[in-house]
Amino acid sequence: MPAIRGANSKKKTRRYTRDLDQVHADLASKRHLEQYHETKVPEDLPALGDYYCVECAKWFESDVNFQGHKKGKPHKRRVRLLREEPYSQKEAEAAVGLGTDNGRRKVEDGGGEEEMEVEDVS
Ligand SMILES: [Zn+2]
């Protein structure tokens, strides 16, 4: 019987980081944020997910850690970054429904009504 080994390494690095545009959507829409948290198991999160920094998409183990984090530089830098690119609630809500779209959506520009030149033959 050959021993099969190594193929099964379940060492996945858990990423607690979230893309900036994801965070934008989180900030704009509570539903968007909830949807993300629903994918997490509270037991897996520090302090069962009680202390969460939306801007940094990070969980903390205690209130002290959390408060300390909010005063820290990385957090403030992040907040500033997020302010630079406002995300509209509409976009966030759209992201909730669609999950992934192909990134491009149709932009209709130009006034819908074309002005017609009317020749006045009299
Ligand atoms: Zn933070």
mmCIF file of all heavy atoms in Angstrom, residues 6-16 39-40 44:
data_model
loop_
_atom_site.group_PDB
_atom_site.id
_atom_site.type_symbol
_atom_site.label_atom_id
_atom_site.label_comp_id
_atom_site.label_asym_id
_atom_site.label_seq_id
_atom_site.Cartn_x
_atom_site.Cartn_y
_atom_site.Cartn_z
ATOM 1 N N GLY A 6 1.237 14.465 1.710
ATOM 2 C CA GLY A 6 1.626 15.793 1.225
ATOM 3 C C GLY A 6 0.584 16.465 0.353
ATOM 4 O O GLY A 6 0.532 17.679 0.280
ATOM 5 N N ALA A 7 -0.230 15.679 -0.312
ATOM 6 C CA ALA A 7 -1.199 16.297 -1.213
ATOM 7 C C ALA A 7 -2.268 17.063 -0.437
ATOM 8 O O ALA A 7 -2.949 17.917 -0.976
ATOM 9 C CB ALA A 7 -1.841 15.233 -2.073
ATOM 10 N N ASN A 8 -2.371 16.710 0.801
ATOM 11 C CA ASN A 8 -3.502 17.195 1.579
ATOM 12 C C ASN A 8 -3.215 18.350 2.531
ATOM 13 O O ASN A 8 -3.955 18.534 3.474
ATOM 14 C CB ASN A 8 -4.031 16.028 2.403
ATOM 15 C CG ASN A 8 -5.456 15.715 1.998
ATOM 16 O OD1 ASN A 8 -6.012 16.408 1.153
ATOM 17 N ND2 ASN A 8 -6.026 14.697 2.589
ATOM 18 N N SER A 9 -2.156 19.049 2.288
ATOM 19 C CA SER A 9 -1.836 20.078 3.275
ATOM 20 C C SER A 9 -2.881 21.177 3.268
ATOM 21 O O SER A 9 -3.134 21.806 2.261
ATOM 22 C CB SER A 9 -0.442 20.642 3.022
ATOM 23 O OG SER A 9 -0.499 21.668 2.084
ATOM 24 N N LYS A 10 -3.483 21.321 4.395
ATOM 25 C CA LYS A 10 -4.577 22.287 4.484
ATOM 26 C C LYS A 10 -4.127 23.609 5.085
ATOM 27 O O LYS A 10 -4.859 24.233 5.814
ATOM 28 C CB LYS A 10 -5.710 21.704 5.318
ATOM 29 C CG LYS A 10 -6.651 20.890 4.478
ATOM 30 C CD LYS A 10 -7.870 20.521 5.267
ATOM 31 C CE LYS A 10 -8.780 19.641 4.420
ATOM 32 N NZ LYS A 10 -9.851 19.047 5.191
ATOM 33 N N LYS A 11 -2.920 23.968 4.758
ATOM 34 C CA LYS A 11 -2.435 25.205 5.353
ATOM 35 C C LYS A 11 -2.793 26.390 4.485
ATOM 36 O O LYS A 11 -2.049 26.788 3.608
ATOM 37 C CB LYS A 11 -0.919 25.133 5.526
ATOM 38 C CG LYS A 11 -0.531 24.929 6.957
ATOM 39 C CD LYS A 11 0.913 25.245 7.167
ATOM 40 C CE LYS A 11 1.330 24.839 8.582
ATOM 41 N NZ LYS A 11 2.780 24.916 8.732
ATOM 42 N N LYS A 12 -3.942 26.907 4.745
ATOM 43 C CA LYS A 12 -4.340 28.090 4.004
ATOM 44 C C LYS A 12 -4.056 29.290 4.879
ATOM 45 O O LYS A 12 -4.405 29.299 6.052
ATOM 46 C CB LYS A 12 -5.846 28.032 3.734
ATOM 47 C CG LYS A 12 -6.164 27.801 2.287
ATOM 48 C CD LYS A 12 -7.637 28.031 2.083
ATOM 49 C CE LYS A 12 -8.069 27.526 0.725
ATOM 50 N NZ LYS A 12 -9.524 27.501 0.622
ATOM 51 N N THR A 13 -3.448 30.253 4.279
ATOM 52 C CA THR A 13 -3.233 31.455 5.062
ATOM 53 C C THR A 13 -4.546 32.200 5.140
ATOM 54 O O THR A 13 -5.170 32.461 4.138
ATOM 55 C CB THR A 13 -2.206 32.394 4.394
ATOM 56 O OG1 THR A 13 -1.530 31.657 3.411
ATOM 57 C CG2 THR A 13 -1.266 32.979 5.390
ATOM 58 N N ARG A 14 -4.936 32.479 6.318
ATOM 59 C CA ARG A 14 -6.190 33.180 6.453
ATOM 60 C C ARG A 14 -5.952 34.671 6.237
ATOM 61 O O ARG A 14 -5.115 35.270 6.880
ATOM 62 C CB ARG A 14 -6.767 32.962 7.839
ATOM 63 C CG ARG A 14 -8.243 33.277 7.828
ATOM 64 C CD ARG A 14 -8.902 32.794 9.073
ATOM 65 N NE ARG A 14 -8.895 31.338 9.169
ATOM 66 C CZ ARG A 14 -9.256 30.706 10.277
ATOM 67 N NH1 ARG A 14 -9.607 31.358 11.318
ATOM 68 N NH2 ARG A 14 -9.246 29.392 10.316
ATOM 69 N N ARG A 15 -6.679 35.191 5.337
ATOM 70 C CA ARG A 15 -6.495 36.610 5.076
ATOM 71 C C ARG A 15 -7.595 37.405 5.734
ATOM 72 O O ARG A 15 -8.760 37.226 5.461
ATOM 73 C CB ARG A 15 -6.510 36.862 3.569
ATOM 74 C CG ARG A 15 -5.257 36.370 2.919
ATOM 75 C CD ARG A 15 -5.277 36.732 1.460
ATOM 76 N NE ARG A 15 -5.555 38.157 1.295
ATOM 77 C CZ ARG A 15 -5.822 38.703 0.122
ATOM 78 N NH1 ARG A 15 -5.871 37.970 -0.945
ATOM 79 N NH2 ARG A 15 -6.045 39.984 0.031
ATOM 80 N N TYR A 16 -7.191 38.300 6.592
ATOM 81 C CA TYR A 16 -8.185 39.151 7.219
ATOM 82 C C TYR A 16 -8.291 40.491 6.493
ATOM 83 O O TYR A 16 -8.998 41.372 6.921
ATOM 84 C CB TYR A 16 -7.826 39.408 8.688
ATOM 85 C CG TYR A 16 -8.229 38.270 9.572
ATOM 86 C CD1 TYR A 16 -7.342 37.735 10.483
ATOM 87 C CD2 TYR A 16 -9.520 37.742 9.492
ATOM 88 C CE1 TYR A 16 -7.716 36.686 11.304
ATOM 89 C CE2 TYR A 16 -9.899 36.694 10.311
ATOM 90 C CZ TYR A 16 -8.981 36.164 11.216
ATOM 91 O OH TYR A 16 -9.350 35.141 12.028
ATOM 92 N N THR A 39 -20.276 35.170 6.081
ATOM 93 C CA THR A 39 -19.392 34.118 5.560
ATOM 94 C C THR A 39 -18.387 33.649 6.603
ATOM 95 O O THR A 39 -17.648 32.716 6.369
ATOM 96 C CB THR A 39 -18.610 34.606 4.317
ATOM 97 O OG1 THR A 39 -17.670 35.604 4.725
ATOM 98 C CG2 THR A 39 -19.528 35.181 3.263
ATOM 99 N N LYS A 40 -18.355 34.327 7.744
ATOM 100 C CA LYS A 40 -17.402 33.976 8.792
ATOM 101 C C LYS A 40 -18.087 33.209 9.908
ATOM 102 O O LYS A 40 -19.246 33.445 10.208
ATOM 103 C CB LYS A 40 -16.781 35.253 9.378
ATOM 104 C CG LYS A 40 -16.124 36.131 8.360
ATOM 105 C CD LYS A 40 -14.782 35.575 7.986
ATOM 106 C CE LYS A 40 -14.174 36.395 6.856
ATOM 107 N NZ LYS A 40 -12.946 35.794 6.354
ATOM 108 N N ASP A 44 -14.452 31.330 14.922
ATOM 109 C CA ASP A 44 -13.132 31.475 14.321
ATOM 110 C C ASP A 44 -12.539 32.863 14.507
ATOM 111 O O ASP A 44 -11.380 33.096 14.218
ATOM 112 C CB ASP A 44 -13.205 31.228 12.803
ATOM 113 C CG ASP A 44 -13.265 29.742 12.488
ATOM 114 O OD1 ASP A 44 -13.110 28.944 13.430
ATOM 115 O OD2 ASP A 44 -13.467 29.408 11.321
#
